[in-house]
Amino acid sequence: LTGAPLSRHLSNLACTLSLRQFAHPAALVKRTAAALSTRSSILGWGGRCMTTRTATPWIDPRDTEGAEEAAAEAKEEQEDSRFGLPENRGRGFRRGDRNSRTPQIIGRDRIPKMAIQSTISINRISVVRKGGKVMKYAAIVVCGNGKGVAGIGKGKDKEVARAVEKAVARAHRMEAMHYFELYDNRTVFHDTSAKFKQTKVLIFAPQQGTGLSCNNTLSLMCEAIGIKDIQAKIHGSNNAHNTVAAFWKALTLIRTPELVARVRGKAVIDYASLKAGLGQGQSTVDMTK
């Protein structure tokens, strides 16, 4: 026993022996250390004294794979809740109840899944971060029921499947959905055009049986909306994003026969429908009397 007075060592030893008589063996080390630390703080001992330390595993600060994986999982869960994706999902969307005819509910606004879902474009992009460039995929998806209701959604992710899922979830939002009034349940009522940035789209209302005379991007959008006959021409850039935006803008500018008749103060008489025996059609007056 060197380095401190003998009385100090004897007092520490006596304190330890007295604690052993009353302490439980399982908590002996912890209680002894607590008592010694309290005695040292009260008496103000200097020099060396008995201490007890618990062994803690050494963590390499350079090993950040576990922290990065946990942060990535938390970010994915946050994105899933923000996009309205189903929880505990595997690959793709979960199937609905097979025993019932309840439609699958997806999206943040809990909208039933549309019958038609088409992927317009998938591009590989790079997002610049602090550590460098991160490669991702950007997807554009159109969803519709084929009866005039459709929506456009865009999503980005490191995996193609998750990017498409995010795009579909965004397409099923209320602000993304739009109803287009179809003329004769097959085409648009009149010719129109719209421009978005460097892309200009011209739309023409053709005769019955013409089909979809346009490129693949517009064909997918027409199928989701329910348009069967149309002619379209693109001037300028044929980028998928600009084409979708310009065509969507052009469709929103189309007016119905009832709206045109109300603006002009006239009545609408659909002679083609009446002559073919299909009923009133687009007529706003009763021609059967």
Side-chain angles (χ1 to χ4, degrees):
L1 298 176
T2 58
L6 182 61
S7 60
R8 183 177 304 171
H9 293 288
L10 293 177
S11 61
N12 289 341
L13 181 61
C15 181
T16 304
L17 293 176
S18 62
L19 286 174
R20 283 185 178 181
Q21 297 177 2
F22 303 99
H24 193 271
L28 176 61
V29 177
K30 185 183 296 185
R31 293 182 181 180
T32 304
L36 290 177
S37 61
T38 305
R39 182 178 176 85
S40 300
S41 60
I42 294 175
L43 299 179
W45 289 350
R48 287 179 262 178
C49 61
M50 298 175 62
T51 58
T52 305
R53 295 182 180 180
T54 57
T56 56
W58 182 76
I59 301 176
D60 189 359
R62 296 170 295 180
D63 186 11
T64 58
E65 295 182 359
E68 291 179 356
E69 291 179 359
E73 292 180 359
K75 186 177 180 180
E76 288 182 0
E77 293 179 358
Q78 184 178 3
E79 288 183 355
D80 291 350
S81 61
R82 182 166 59 92
F83 283 94
L85 298 180
E87 298 178 357
N88 300 328
R89 56 173 181 80
R91 291 288 181 179
F93 289 103
R94 294 182 299 176
R95 297 181 179 179
D97 189 2
R98 297 182 179 179
N99 299 328
S100 64
R101 296 183 177 272
T102 304
Q104 184 181 5
I105 305 298
I106 62 175
R108 184 186 60 185
D109 297 332
R110 315 302 298 170
I111 299 178
K113 188 177 181 180
M114 294 292 178
I116 302 176
Q117 172 185 329
S118 301
T119 303
I120 297 177
S121 173
I122 297 178
N123 296 330
R124 186 178 180 183
I125 61 176
S126 61
V127 181
V128 180
R129 300 297 184 186
K130 182 178 180 181
K133 293 184 179 180
V134 179
M135 305 306 298
K136 290 187 177 182
Y137 294 93
I140 309 176
V141 175
V142 56
C143 301
N145 60 355
K147 299 179 181 179
V149 179
I152 299 293
K154 300 179 181 179
K156 298 179 182 179
D157 199 88
K158 295 180 181 179
E159 299 180 3
V160 177
R162 280 185 56 84
V164 174
E165 288 181 2
K166 291 181 180 180
V168 171
R170 280 190 168 180
H172 283 76
R173 293 183 178 181
M174 293 299 298
E175 59 265 20
M177 290 291 173
H178 191 84
Y179 174 72
F180 301 97
E181 186 72 25
L182 303 180
Y183 178 73
D184 201 13
N185 293 327
R186 63 176 183 85
T187 185
V188 295
F189 178 58
H190 58 84
D191 302 344
T192 184
S193 63
K195 184 177 181 180
F196 181 80
K197 294 185 178 180
Q198 299 299 324
T199 301
K200 184 177 181 180
V201 176
L202 306 177
I203 299 178
F204 307 97
Q207 298 179 356
Q208 187 175 3
T210 302
L212 301 178
S213 179
C214 53
N215 64 357
N216 186 36
T217 300
L218 303 185
S219 298
L220 295 176
M221 297 181 64
C222 292
E223 291 176 359
I225 296 172
I227 300 176
K228 302 178 182 61
D229 301 322
I230 197 173
Q231 290 180 348
K233 182 68 175 178
I234 299 177
H235 291 169
S237 174
N238 59 352
N239 180 269
H241 293 262
N242 296 349
T243 303
V244 169
F247 186 68
W248 195 267
K249 181 179 179 181
L251 292 178
T252 56
L253 298 177
I254 295 177
R255 298 184 294 178
T256 61
E258 293 81 1
L259 179 59
V260 176
R262 186 164 62 250
V263 171
R264 296 183 180 182
K266 298 182 180 180
V268 177
I269 301 177
D270 193 347
Y271 287 103
S273 181
L274 294 172
K275 186 177 180 180
L278 301 178
Q280 293 293 320
Q282 300 289 335
S283 302
T284 57
V285 294
D286 190 0
M287 299 296 297
T288 59
K289 296 181 180 180

